[in-house]
Amino acid sequence: MRILKLYLHPLWNARLLLIYSFLSGFAILILAPFLMISLRSVGKGWFGKLWFPPEFTLQWFQTAIDIGNIPQVLGNTALIAAIAVAISTTIGILSGWAFGRRRLPGKEVLMAIILLPRMIPPITYALGVAKIFYGLDLVNTYLGVGLAHVSLCAPYAILVLSSTFEGLDERVLEASAVCGANTLKSFFYVILPMVLPGILASMIFTFTTSYNEFTLTLMTYGPDTVTMAVRTYLAIGEGYVEITSAMSVILVVPSLVILAMIQSGIQPEKLVGGFKGV
Amino acid sequence: MLQTWRKYEHNATTWLLLLPAFASFFGLFAYPILVTLIQSFRPEGQADGFTFENYINFLSDPRGRDVIVLTFVLAIGTTFFSLLFSIPLALILRDKVRGHRFFRLLALIPLMVPGLIGALGLLLFFGSRGWFNLAAQALPFVTEPLTINYTLQGLMLFYVWLYFPYTALTTLSALEGLDRAVEEAGAVAGANPRQVLRYLIIPQIIPGVLAGSVLTFMTAFGAFSIPLITGGDYRPLSVQIYKEISSFIPAHWSAASAMAIVMGILQVAALTLYMRLLRQRQVR
């Protein structure tokens, strides 16, 4: 026992070292895959047991843009995301107001029902969505793919916005009424500035959801509505690792921008509420 | 009279506000599931008729049962290993060590980045020419590249990589919600750090941690992109459903629908069970 303690003592003294080796292992595990992708996308002649590519080139990006039709795909992705964000934010504002500010019988149950699409794996209802959209000729249209994304985005918008509206201080609204603002005025000058951060947050999160959404897109896309996620998946199937890596780098940039944005403004823990679309 | 009318009007507006939400819920979720349910009872390739064949075929086939078992193994394993990894990570990051902001940001990355890219990067990193194997081969006793991609262990590792943030972030926020005075009181009363951890910290954070692990379980159960790309021959339910649609012409809609219904039921059942266990713990 004494001997064990003698051995353990230096270990306890070196706990900072242990902590940092754990943390650096964690950092390597998270970052190295992305580093490898980005090196792949600019490396040339990287074969065998080499740690780094011997030559650098931008030709894979060129190929990806030419053959992979990236500009159009990016346009598709943005348009579909815009449709999904617009529809789900509208739904979120209306229903968020009802959930946050109105007396509603069985509020918890209603909210749980609304959040169901985020708890069930998307593939289970993506089949039905695809089947219905085939019947309505919505497959391979921007509206169709955007609508399919709404099924995942809307619950999140409602969740975020109802808590935003719930946090509105009743006294400020009363104060604006006392000061003689009519409904329209108090909406534009009092309510809107107060809820704008919440609306923006909800828009950012729904955009990310739509941008990353793969399952529902895969079931409803067509040749004219290929999104970045689907394009990358197809490229992985085609098997040209370098070109796929170049596409992935393009695809990952907006996510990192958004990550930087929320890091400066929004607490990371809040993100957990928005179960990522798988 | 006027009062009742006002109240009624007020209620009507509330429901009107909720209308779009319910329209999207029914149109894009409930009705599709109903369509899937109906389809799952249709004989394959026919527009009408009623049969239990799709369910019987799937559930009586040993491969079908393997698929279900694999899905559960992956989901439960991911939850377990995420917990194992997240608790030390959160304990370290709580102490605001140097650079803790950077490491917190790192924990968010798998949540924000498309799963496809994470999968591709992991395949490259753990591949036979990836950095992991280059580093492993620098060790004296490793001569052959280690095979990680397309194995069950590898798939589990990738799942944990992608889904641990849910557990880690909730554990972290549970830990930060703790009152440090309790631990100090424990230390003053003569408890060593290990005892403080075992008897003061862990019991307090367990409800929050397990609630966070529900999210990991849920997403891992429905995971699609990671096993589709990195699974190889290991196909959980979601991938199997997609394969029924994509790799047959004409697509096996009825078989896929039956599997989707089974998957939905299993997910709801597992979640209900998990929640019930959680609640029992909390009551005790």
Side-chain angles (χ1 to χ4, degrees), chain B residues 240-264:
Chain B
Q240 194 64 37
I241 291 169
Y242 178 65
K243 292 285 176 201
E244 292 289 334
I245 301 279
S246 67
S247 47
F248 297 100
I249 297 172
H252 290 178
W253 280 101
S254 299
S257 301
M259 285 183 203
I261 295 296
V262 169
M263 185 179 189

Side-chain angles (χ1 to χ4, degrees), chain A residues 29 51 119 131 212 276 278, chain B residues 110-111 131 161 163 166 267:
Chain A
L29 202 61
W51 280 82
M119 303 205 187
K131 232 176 156 30
N212 290 348
K276 190 168 97 177
V278 253
Chain B
L111 273 187
W131 284 346
W161 188 92
Y163 299 124
Y166 297 111
Q267 165 94 328

Side-chain angles (χ1 to χ4, degrees), chain A residues 194-273:
Chain A
M194 277 164 78
V195 298
L196 209 55
I199 294 179
L200 275 181
S202 134
M203 285 173 84
I204 288 174
F205 290 147
T206 46
F207 177 84
T208 320
T209 308
S210 164
Y211 187 80
N212 290 348
E213 178 48 42
F214 177 61
T215 317
L216 284 161
T217 323
L218 196 62
M219 299 301 294
T220 51
Y221 87 101
D224 302 329
T225 49
V226 178
T227 66
M228 268 318 276
V230 170
R231 188 71 200 85
T232 315
Y233 168 66
L234 296 175
I236 291 173
E238 285 155 12
Y240 298 101
V241 179
E242 281 81 7
I243 299 172
T244 315
S245 302
M247 284 180 192
S248 306
V249 170
I250 300 172
L251 176 59
V252 88
V253 167
S255 312
L256 295 182
V257 170
I258 289 173
L259 187 65
M261 272 162 69
I262 59 171
Q263 186 58 20
S264 54
I266 300 156
Q267 279 165 359
E269 284 77 18
K270 283 191 184 159
L271 257 178
V272 176

Side-chain angles (χ1 to χ4, degrees), chain B residues 6-76:
Chain B
R6 281 248 173 84
K7 203 171 153 195
Y8 174 73
E9 187 193 41
H10 195 256
N11 272 339
T13 330
T14 309
W15 291 110
L16 212 61
L17 285 173
L18 284 174
L19 192 66
F22 282 109
S24 104
F25 175 80
F26 282 108
L28 298 168
F29 179 74
Y31 182 54
I33 285 195
L34 186 68
V35 168
T36 311
L37 187 67
I38 294 169
Q39 181 69 39
S40 71
F41 290 115
R42 295 253 189 269
E44 195 68 74
Q46 288 175 33
D48 49 8
F50 182 88
T51 172
F52 283 110
E53 215 171 65
N54 302 307
Y55 289 97
I56 294 167
N57 282 347
F58 175 50
L59 294 174
S60 65
D61 184 4
R63 275 176 304 167
R65 266 172 291 175
D66 285 349
V67 165
I68 294 177
V69 170
L70 176 70
T71 314
F72 271 106
V73 165
L74 282 172
I76 294 171

Side-chain angles (χ1 to χ4, degrees), chain A residues 132-152:
Chain A
I132 293 166
F133 281 13
Y134 272 116
L136 296 174
D137 270 335
L138 275 172
V139 168
N140 194 19
T141 61
Y142 295 122
L143 184 66
V145 182
L147 265 179
H149 288 185
V150 168
S151 63
L152 270 175

